[in-house]
Amino acid sequence: AVPLRPIVDSVLASLQPVLTQHHLAVAVEVPDGFAVRADADRLRQVLFNLLDNAVKYNRDGGRITVSASGSGGSATIAVADTGIGIPAEDLPRVFERFYRVDKARSRELGGTGLGLSIAKHLVEAHGGRVWVDSRLEQGSTFSFTLPLAS
């Protein structure tokens, strides 16, 4: 059993300099005591990859929300941003290795094009699934499931 909030807080702390630089507001909507069955280090890596993208592809002064809910033995964790969004035609491919929606912007921001692929692999290794909802110019929400801790 891994409490979610301390992991979210530690990832956000590691991103604090860039959050401050881009004037990003962060809301964490994780119930007290919320816990999942997972490897803590792998969960941290999934959250880092999703939050790092939420920072990179957001607008200055934007917002990031991390939320969690549970039902029927399954936890759903979501990372939402108010960023640039992803074109509908690119959504089916964003979890592919090395796939980049905006090649020029991705080069400018760094990265390898592996973060979402790694996140998907790690979530699936825990028996979960991952998906994205996005609208251009409105933002993206990356969600994943994990088993709830009993």
Side-chain angles (χ1 to χ4, degrees), residues 16-57:
Q16 193 57 54
V18 72
L19 290 166
T20 301
Q21 177 185 349
H22 294 288
H23 310 285
L24 295 169
V26 177
V28 179
E29 300 169 359
V30 177
D32 288 338
F34 192 90
V36 294
R37 281 200 335 262
D39 176 291
D41 291 333
R42 301 293 71 85
L43 177 56
R44 184 174 286 105
Q45 189 173 6
V46 169
L47 287 167
F48 180 85
N49 289 352
L50 297 180
L51 284 162
D52 186 50
N53 279 356
V55 169
K56 285 180 183 176
Y57 298 102

Side-chain angles (χ1 to χ4, degrees), residues 28-101:
V28 179
E29 300 169 359
V30 177
D32 288 338
F34 192 90
V36 294
R37 281 200 335 262
D39 176 291
D41 291 333
R42 301 293 71 85
L43 177 56
R44 184 174 286 105
Q45 189 173 6
V46 169
L47 287 167
F48 180 85
N49 289 352
L50 297 180
L51 284 162
D52 186 50
N53 279 356
V55 169
K56 285 180 183 176
Y57 298 102
N58 215 326
R59 309 181 158 75
D60 283 1
R63 183 174 183 82
I64 297 170
T65 304
V66 181
S67 61
S69 61
S71 173
S74 183
T76 300
I77 298 132
V79 175
D81 66 59
T82 57
I84 62 174
I86 301 166
E89 63 270 15
D90 290 305
L91 288 173
R93 299 193 61 198
V94 296
F95 294 102
E96 291 178 13
R97 289 183 315 148
F98 306 114
Y99 188 77
R100 293 172 173 219
V101 172

Side-chain angles (χ1 to χ4, degrees), residues 108-133:
E108 169 188 319
L109 296 172
T112 59
L114 288 172
L116 292 177
S117 175
I118 290 168
K120 180 181 183 198
H121 174 79
L122 292 173
V123 167
E124 289 177 349
H126 283 81
R129 66 184 189 91
V130 64
W131 67 97
V132 60
D133 295 306

